Amino acid sequence: MTTQGSKAVLITGAGGGIGSATVEAFAARGYRVYAGVRTLRNAPRFGHANVVPVELDVTDSAGVRHALDAVAADRGPAGLQVLVNNAGVIVQGPLELVPDAELHRQFDINVYGPHRVLVAALPLLRTGGGRVINISAASARTAMPYLGPISASKAALESLSHAARVELAPWGIPVSVVEPGALETTIFAKAESAAREALLLADADRVELYRAQLAAVDKALAEQKTRPVGTVVDAIVRAAEARRPKDCYVASSDARMLRILAYLPFRLRDRVIAGALGLGKSDVAAGAAR
């Protein structure tokens, strides 16, 4: 079977949040949408006939190749017009207490995963005159304390994106990154739950050293203003349909603020971030001294 009459997009991490909303947006615009999900049995029910769920676990190299083979068989010579590398997780917590396996999981999904998918998708992108959109984070440019793993993984993803943009230019394949801010999705709740589980397994004395800081950060994050995923979806669609897509799309005001902080001297930046997270207060200092 071939589906040559429409443009096609492959979206990883399509099971919820940004991913599922992006699937619906592209389907409504007439795209053939390949919705990459970890397992088909848990795939959401999309409301469009032109959405094709594809089992795609970005940590499984063989599975990624199999998924792209299925897309190729469906598309034939029409190829792929857009790849959206959206699958991702957030690992958070004090770096001293982040388990080695969790740090590896962070990079396996957020960095190695997009690379696996890109390599497998490039033949289809070359055939279809396609483009690549990698979903990053505002913390890629300004690393946040207690969010070190996610910050580092997104910084790495942006570095790979910038390198790929130049390398793929001879084939006319643009590469853009989209930087969301704080969003109304379940990924943050999942990250918090995983972090709390990790703390339960960590050395109790070391956990106690961070008790006051963690409470301050939790309070600051709970009070931050979140935005609907539509703000990010709009940026993704613009990147997909622009005649000359930008290198980077910043999808919210808080993401723009972190970009501005990246230009400050390191010590000033540290003070601003610590103050915003409540880490400069005397009670936090007292907790650290215990």
Side-chain angles (χ1 to χ4, degrees):
M1 174 184 179
T2 61
T3 54
Q4 300 179 34
S6 63
K7 292 184 177 181
V9 55
L10 169 63
I11 302 167
T12 68
I18 295 173
S20 60
T22 304
V23 167
E24 297 289 352
F26 276 105
R29 300 176 79 85
Y31 284 74
R32 178 80 163 173
V33 183
Y34 299 97
V37 293
R38 288 186 63 191
T39 58
L40 288 177
R41 68 176 179 273
N42 293 328
R45 294 187 177 183
F46 298 104
H48 296 271
N50 49 337
V51 175
V52 181
V54 177
E55 190 160 278
L56 201 169
D57 180 348
V58 299
T59 67
D60 178 2
S61 296
V64 168
R65 291 193 297 270
H66 180 75
L68 269 296
D69 286 344
V71 174
D74 189 56
R75 287 297 289 170
L80 190 64
Q81 283 66 55
V82 186
L83 166 63
V84 180
N85 274 314
N86 167 70
V89 294
I90 296 174
V91 174
Q92 63 188 45
L95 290 173
E96 182 178 2
L97 304 179
V98 173
D100 185 69
E102 279 295 276
L103 191 58
H104 279 267
R105 182 174 73 95
Q106 178 77 94
F107 275 75
D108 198 17
I109 297 173
N110 287 23
V111 183
Y112 309 141
H115 178 258
R116 292 183 186 104
V117 177
L118 173 63
V119 170
L122 273 174
L124 282 170
L125 291 168
R126 287 191 176 100
T127 299
R131 61 185 62 187
V132 180
I133 302 169
N134 291 330
I135 308 306
S136 182
S139 58
R141 293 173 181 264
T142 302
M144 297 296 290
Y146 302 96
L147 292 169
I150 175 67
S151 299
S153 71
K154 293 302 188 181
L157 178 61
E158 290 208 4
S159 291
L160 292 180
S161 301
H162 298 326
R165 186 172 59 252
V166 178
E167 293 176 6
L168 299 178
W171 295 277
I173 300 176
V175 179
S176 301
V177 296
V178 174
E179 294 181 353
L183 299 173
E184 298 170 357
T185 72
T186 60
I187 190 172
F188 297 100
K190 291 178 180 177
E192 183 178 354
S193 176
R196 293 190 184 284
E197 290 180 11
L199 289 177
L200 291 175
L201 300 175
D203 179 86
D205 290 336
R206 291 195 179 193
V207 173
E208 187 60 31
L209 292 173
Y210 290 97
R211 188 71 65 188
Q213 294 96 316
L214 289 171
V217 171
D218 285 347
K219 182 175 184 294
L221 293 179
E223 292 175 350
Q224 71 179 344
K225 182 179 180 180
T226 58
R227 290 164 176 78
V229 296
T231 59
V232 181
V233 175
D234 290 345
I236 294 171
V237 171
R238 291 199 306 273
E241 298 189 339
R243 188 169 65 88
R244 292 184 177 178
K246 298 178 182 179
D247 300 337
C248 181
Y249 292 80
V250 184
S252 68
S253 58
D254 56 323
R256 283 190 289 274
M257 180 60 68
L258 283 182
R259 283 173 63 90
I260 293 172
L261 289 179
Y263 294 100
L264 296 179
F266 287 123
R267 291 188 179 182
L268 176 57
R269 184 197 312 178
D270 291 348
R271 288 197 297 271
V272 171
I273 293 173
L277 293 177
L279 297 176
K281 298 178 181 179
S282 57
D283 57 336
V284 174
R290 284 201 296 269

